[in-house]
Amino acid sequence: MVKEKILTAHRITSPEIFGIMTPGKLGGKDEVTDAYLLFINTVVHPYQQVLLSEVEDFLHLMYPTAGEFSVGIQQTKLFSDGEEEVDVVTSV
């Protein structure tokens, strides 16, 4: 009961995202991935946008002559899809 209240208060869409398994339920990768994406897009991403806006405002206050600042957050993948992205640096 307490566990469900905590998850609901934090808007957790599926407890499997955090490793909390439901007894008698077989979870699949697709279900966890869908719940993760829903959580990221409805809970995490809006908070990140607020924080990024505040960081940019702070940078403008600290460095008013520096021009425009653009800060961002790189999202990690829940599961590897087998393809690795490799940044290639070339020079002349």
Side-chain angles (χ1 to χ4, degrees), residues 12-92:
I12 306 301
T13 55
S14 176
E16 284 87 11
I17 298 172
F18 295 100
I20 302 170
M21 295 299 159
T22 305
K25 181 179 177 187
L26 296 174
K29 179 181 172 184
D30 293 335
E31 181 181 339
V32 174
T33 303
D34 291 343
Y36 172 76
L37 291 173
L38 180 63
F39 179 71
I40 290 294
N41 290 326
T42 60
V43 177
V44 175
H45 190 69
Y47 283 130
Q48 287 176 343
Q49 294 307 309
V50 170
L51 291 174
L52 289 175
S53 174
E54 294 300 320
V55 167
E56 287 177 352
D57 290 346
F58 177 75
L59 290 172
H60 284 294
L61 289 174
M62 294 300 294
Y63 306 101
T65 60
E68 289 294 317
F69 288 100
S70 178
V71 294
I73 296 174
Q74 181 179 0
Q75 298 292 338
T76 58
K77 291 183 180 179
L78 182 61
F79 295 109
S80 175
D81 56 3
E83 295 181 14
E84 296 292 326
E85 292 183 17
V86 178
D87 291 333
V88 177
V89 178
T90 59
S91 62
V92 177

Side-chain angles (χ1 to χ4, degrees), residues 1-16 18 20-23:
M1 181 70 170
V2 173
K3 189 185 329 181
E4 287 81 14
K5 287 184 180 184
I6 292 171
L7 293 173
T8 302
H10 290 284
R11 298 191 294 170
I12 306 301
T13 55
S14 176
E16 284 87 11
F18 295 100
I20 302 170
M21 295 299 159
T22 305

